Amino acid sequence: MTQSGLRGEGPAVEDTMPLAQHEKNAGGGHGRRGGGGGRGSRGTGGRRPKRRVLRWSATVLAVVILGTAGAGYLYYEHLNGNIRKGERDSGDSKAQKTKANADGQTPVNILLIGSDSRNSDANVALGGSRENRGSPPLGDVQMLIHLAADRKSAEVVSIPRDTRVDIPKCTDPKTGTKYPATNAIINESLARGGAGCTLATWQNLTGVYIDHWMTIDFAGVVKMADAIGGVDVCVKQNVWDRSTALAHGGSGLKLTAGTHKVKGVQALQWLRTRHAWGSDLLRARAQHMYLNSMIRTLKSQSIFTDTGRLLDLAEAATRSLQVSEEIGTGKKLYDLAMQLKTVPTDRITMTTMPNVQDPQNRDHVVPDGANAQKIWKLIQDDVAFDANGKTEDAKKDAGKSGAKTPPATQPAHPDGQIGVTVQNGTRTTELAPIGHRATAISDELVGKGFTKASPDSTTTPSASQTVVRYPSAELKGDAERVATALGIPTTSVEKSTDVSGVTVVVGADWRQGSTYPKQETPKAGDIPENSDAINGADTKQCMDVYKPYQW
């Protein structure tokens, strides 16, 4: 390295002297120039070697910092370039964004979708079914991840792929193709407008606003499993998921009884196996065991503080995942991961939506009425599925619904001048609508002085919860006045561009009576028995193997 001289000096000679020698020369005189050379001398006594070393070191440090920053920026841009993004919501969905709790915190809801796409050589090789190459992918794995507002707990709810639900009207953001609303099994939603349609389907079913979605295909699972380095899983008997007289196909998973570390293709086989467990519902349990084990593995490896491992995982994740556009950068995904990592394993609960056999098709299921609603209510109110929180947290949250109740807005009109439309939304996937509910509630409003209330028999939406909607800010107070008259909490009053005036949608939670039923305050850990809950700290989980697939 060369340096320009100061005050007209010529270029200095290249400084190749060892640092120790510089220090020895610099120690010859305090406040003096060692030796006797003049100011312009090029000899080692003609200038302060220590100053030259400092300048040299500072220059090198600057180059290193700039070089590292440049490399970091280029790598960051590389990761961003890996990420595939899509529209968050491409369907007709009414869910409202979750309000902040009393401390100003908001939960985060993420929909994780496992696609069965065969639209690449890698996916065909891993998933077989070559005849389906080019067909729209189906969402065979669907899980809602709820990260609590205080970031102290997390809940995961799976919906079986063969659950019959109402899929709303959706538009494919890539092709512009419009799909009409339909009633079908939920895994078809991915093929009717992409992940944004699946998100809209979940929002309408659960009443939960979902902030983001992520999708991953067969090849992506293999990449992620390899980056993690393997995850422990357990079977009680020898298992071989293969074609049998009972069912064609199979994942190919073959393990002896006991605990095994699976990675790569074998991890994918574990996640895809269903015949060997006995049902699609039990496949969800095996997936939950895998995810819990993966989380424990990542925490035990301190992967978030191991730069090399973290970069490997970042590379695999950004190449494997497709995400909704609002989290489509490496930084936003990293920030989200940092929030998830703060949750202790014993505050993570994996569940499956309570369900019952579909009366229309014994091979399908439908939500289990009140039990399914209980799960969604816990998430809506940001109440933990576990009871492992600290006592002081429980006391703090006692009687708190999880969302602030906003101050009431004064109505703009007297009761008798408020136009109110009432719709019957009591229909559910598993239950027919209750007849004349819109008429009954509109009559109740008329009796309370809302003489302009009337039923709307032309629209019969499906609503899990009763809501009061209004189209613009000046009608908010009127909507809240109507809600109060019926005993509906003001937290169920929401702005919507889908209505032209104050509209009461009588939901599945109000199928009888003229007064809105009092809702129980959800309690932490109070989840239905048929939700098949597994705690993240439970290391003793082990899958039973269906007899025909034992060897």
Side-chain angles (χ1 to χ4, degrees):
M1 177 181 295
T2 60
Q3 296 177 327
S4 298
L6 297 177
R7 297 188 182 181
E9 290 177 0
V13 295
E14 182 170 325
D15 188 353
T16 58
M17 186 178 295
L19 180 60
Q21 185 63 43
H22 276 306
E23 292 173 342
K24 180 179 178 182
N25 290 344
H30 299 288
R32 292 178 160 228
R33 294 188 178 116
R39 180 162 35 172
S41 171
R42 294 187 183 180
T44 57
R47 65 172 66 208
R48 289 181 178 170
K50 189 171 184 178
R51 178 179 294 173
R52 188 187 317 189
V53 171
L54 292 174
R55 286 204 303 270
W56 178 85
S57 300
T59 304
V60 171
L61 182 61
V63 171
V64 170
I65 290 173
L66 290 173
T68 302
Y73 174 77
L74 291 175
Y75 187 70
Y76 175 72
E77 287 300 299
H78 162 73
L79 291 179
N80 284 344
N82 288 344
I83 301 171
R84 294 164 295 142
K85 296 171 286 213
E87 190 173 304
R88 189 194 72 84
D89 185 352
S90 57
D92 185 11
S93 176
K94 306 292 191 303
Q96 300 290 308
K97 192 169 179 63
T98 307
K99 297 180 178 69
N101 65 14
D103 295 321
Q105 303 164 311
T106 54
V108 175
N109 296 308
I110 308 161
L111 182 62
L112 179 62
I113 305 168
S115 161
D116 76 343
S117 171
R118 268 83 170 182
N119 293 336
S120 71
D121 291 340
N123 283 325
V124 169
L126 294 166
S129 192
R130 296 176 185 277
E131 66 276 11
N132 289 322
R133 181 162 187 164
S135 300
L138 301 175
D140 277 357
V141 177
Q142 299 183 24
M143 299 180 183
L144 179 64
I145 303 169
H146 173 80
L147 181 60
D150 62 8
R151 305 302 189 258
K152 293 181 180 179
S153 66
E155 289 71 44
V156 177
V157 185
S158 290
I159 289 184
R161 68 172 189 171
D162 292 331
T163 302
R164 183 168 60 84
V165 298
D166 289 327
I167 300 175
K169 177 176 63 178
C170 293
T171 302
D172 190 317
K174 293 182 179 179
T175 65
T177 303
K178 297 183 182 299
Y179 296 90
T182 187
N183 183 261
I185 58 176
I186 197 167
N187 77 336
E188 294 182 15
S189 60
L190 190 63
R192 300 177 65 84
C197 185
T198 302
L199 179 143
T201 302
W202 272 75
Q203 289 193 155
N204 288 349
L205 176 68
T206 67
V208 173
Y209 181 90
I210 300 174
D211 301 273
H212 318 296
W213 56 255
M214 298 181 180
T215 67
I216 189 168
D217 57 19
F218 296 149
V221 170
V222 172
K223 289 176 186 174
M224 290 289 289
D226 283 340
I228 292 166
V231 168
D232 287 339
V233 297
C234 176
V235 287
K236 292 182 180 179
Q237 302 88 18
N238 295 351
V239 59
W240 187 6
D241 192 53
R242 64 198 187 282
S243 290
T244 66
L246 293 174
H248 177 70
S251 70
L253 179 70
K254 190 173 185 180
L255 297 171
T256 56
T259 300
H260 299 266
K261 188 178 292 293
V262 296
K263 60 186 295 189
V265 173
Q266 202 170 42
L268 176 64
Q269 291 173 336
W270 176 272
L271 294 169
R272 292 188 64 213
T273 294
R274 61 188 176 112
H275 298 315
W277 310 140
S279 73
D280 196 50
L281 301 178
L282 290 171
R283 174 165 70 169
R285 181 188 297 176
Q287 291 166 350
H288 295 160
M289 289 181 189
Y290 179 92
L291 288 176
N292 277 336
S293 181
M294 180 185 74
I295 292 167
R296 292 193 300 268
T297 299
L298 290 173
K299 283 179 175 287
S300 68
Q301 293 177 344
S302 300
I303 194 159
F304 293 102
T305 58
D306 183 336
T307 304
R309 292 291 311 286
L310 186 59
L311 291 179
D312 288 344
L313 190 57
E315 184 74 27
T318 54
R319 286 186 177 276
S320 303
L321 295 171
Q322 183 174 358
V323 302
S324 50
E325 55 198 359
E326 73 289 340
I327 52 168
T329 69
K331 182 181 185 304
K332 289 179 179 178
L333 288 175
Y334 178 81
D335 289 344
L336 190 58
M338 289 300 100
Q339 294 181 62
L340 289 166
K341 98 175 183 67
T342 63
V343 180
T345 52
D346 71 339
R347 301 299 314 280
I348 298 171
T349 309
M350 303 274 177
T351 62
T352 297
M353 178 195 71
N355 57 83
V356 294
Q357 189 178 80
D358 183 357
Q360 297 182 17
N361 185 332
R362 61 179 297 174
D363 292 329
H364 298 163
V365 298
V366 292
D368 179 15
N371 282 333
Q373 285 304 316
K374 192 172 188 178
I375 286 285
W376 308 138
K377 182 65 173 172
L378 286 164
I379 291 179
Q380 290 163 8
D381 288 358
D382 195 31
V383 177
F385 284 13
D386 71 278
N388 297 332
K390 294 180 180 179
T391 304
E392 55 266 30
D393 292 336
K395 288 180 179 179
K396 182 179 179 182
D397 293 337
K400 185 175 71 174
S401 67
K404 287 182 179 178
T405 301
T409 304
Q410 290 299 314
H413 305 92
D415 292 355
Q417 295 181 18
I418 299 176
V420 186
T421 300
V422 184
Q423 297 175 346
N424 184 354
T426 57
R427 177 179 63 85
T428 68
T429 302
E430 68 273 20
L431 297 173
I434 298 295
H436 310 296
R437 284 301 287 157
T439 299
I441 301 306
S442 64
D443 288 348
E444 179 69 14
L445 282 169
V446 170
K448 290 178 179 293
F450 296 87
T451 55
K452 289 190 174 183
S454 61
D456 177 8
S457 58
T458 63
T459 304
T460 55
S462 176
S464 59
Q465 283 191 301
T466 298
V467 294
V468 182
R469 296 188 172 121
Y470 62 93
S472 53
E474 64 269 16
L475 293 180
K476 180 181 179 183
D478 291 357
E480 290 179 342
R481 174 73 190 108
V482 170
T484 300
L486 292 172
I488 300 169
T490 55
T491 51
S492 294
V493 176
E494 59 187 38
K495 186 177 179 180
S496 172
T497 57
D498 294 320
V499 296
S500 57
V502 176
T503 303
V504 178
V505 182
V506 184
D509 59 343
W510 193 10
R511 292 174 66 85
Q512 61 184 8
S514 57
T515 302
Y516 186 67
K518 185 177 181 180
Q519 304 296 303
E520 291 185 13
T521 301
K523 297 179 181 178
D526 185 18
I527 55 178
E529 290 185 4
N530 61 340
S531 59
D532 196 23
I534 301 176
N535 186 272
D538 186 351
T539 60
K540 297 180 180 179
Q541 291 289 323
C542 202
M543 288 299 295
D544 265 313
V545 180
Y546 186 34
K547 186 69 173 177
Y549 297 90
Q550 297 178 17
W551 61 280

